[in-house]
Amino acid sequence: MFFRFLFKPQDFETTLDGAIRLRRLGPGDAAIFRDHIHALHFTDFRDRFNGLASDYWLDKYIARSLDTAICIGAFQDEHLLAVAELHSGSHLPEGEAESAFSVASDWRRKGLGTLLVKALLKAATEAGISTIIIETGPQNHAMKALARRFGAKMRFGGDQSVGRINVAEGLRIAGRRKSPPPLAIAVPGVGGGLADGLGNRPAVPQTAV
């Protein structure tokens, strides 16, 4: 199931409102993925990785994700604004996958998260995945609201909120919902805010939308 999707041609591409383009990411996109993560503001970086992460760990994570996971990027021109990831593997039951999202700090709450969830739902269907797991910190209210919008029931445990999106139901909800406002707006500057450190991390870091 998983490898069937991995070896499909990297042809997932959509243009939205003439401004935002979605496409699959591969190993050749490691540098722009890294730049995207490093440009997150400190609090967004913290939400995304549940704390701090060293450059060494981050490079290994990006390489592994682009090699083994489904990764979809949102671009304006050639600038990577957001990434959605879908990770499946031996630690998860068949048909389930863990998701992760990152959106450029100055592009949050402008509809990119919704667009990426819809794209991830379609990709999950092609990969034979029936359940998408969402994990995020309790302070990430935007991500929890986004997950609920597609049918997830968020439950708090430890220092994380965890929810599951039924892919078929999520697609039905996506089909009923109106499209978000057009994203053809003035391009905001992308702020800095590099965080660096070292610590143990979960297999799939938390999400920041």
Side-chain angles (χ1 to χ4, degrees):
M1 173 198 69
F2 181 60
F3 289 104
R4 184 188 74 207
F5 192 88
L6 277 182
F7 290 106
K8 289 182 66 178
Q10 301 284 315
D11 58 357
F12 181 90
E13 188 162 324
T14 300
T15 301
L16 300 158
D17 299 315
I20 304 301
R21 178 170 54 92
L22 303 183
R23 71 165 175 84
R24 288 280 305 275
L25 302 179
D29 295 304
I32 60 171
F33 194 174
R34 184 186 308 111
D35 290 344
H36 161 69
I37 293 297
H38 277 250
L40 295 175
H41 294 170
F42 177 81
T43 54
D44 297 334
F45 188 102
R46 179 202 60 199
D47 288 347
R48 175 62 178 80
F49 292 102
N50 193 25
L52 303 180
S54 69
D55 286 346
Y56 173 77
W57 182 89
L58 187 61
D59 285 346
K60 289 188 67 174
Y61 173 79
I62 288 171
R64 183 174 68 250
S65 297
L66 293 175
D67 189 50
T68 64
I70 297 168
C71 297
I72 299 171
F75 292 80
Q76 184 176 65
D77 298 323
E78 297 305 314
H79 183 58
L80 181 62
L81 302 175
V83 178
E85 307 162 40
L86 200 56
H87 298 256
S88 59
S90 58
H91 67 291
L92 290 171
E94 186 170 352
E96 294 190 4
E98 294 176 323
S99 64
F101 299 84
S102 57
V103 176
S105 298
D106 292 331
W107 279 84
R108 296 186 67 188
R109 295 175 178 82
K110 290 181 171 64
L112 284 178
T114 298
L115 297 176
L116 285 169
V117 170
K118 290 180 178 180
L120 220 54
L121 287 167
K122 294 176 182 177
T125 298
E126 293 187 36
I129 294 167
S130 59
T131 302
I132 295 177
I133 301 168
I134 303 275
E135 294 186 9
T136 191
Q139 76 284 353
N140 194 341
H141 303 296
M143 188 64 237
K144 290 188 289 184
L146 179 61
R148 291 190 186 102
R149 197 175 302 153
F150 288 90
K153 293 179 173 61
M154 303 301 294
R155 293 179 172 84
F156 184 75
D159 61 349
Q160 294 181 330
S161 293
V162 181
R164 283 174 157 75
I165 297 177
N166 178 285
V167 171
E169 177 62 17
L171 285 169
R172 283 194 291 271
I173 292 170
R176 294 197 303 266
R177 295 188 65 85
K178 294 181 180 179
S179 298
L183 287 166
I185 58 179
V187 184
V190 177
L194 172 63
D196 189 51
L198 184 62
N200 295 323
R201 291 286 157 292
V204 179
Q206 299 180 10
T207 58
V209 173

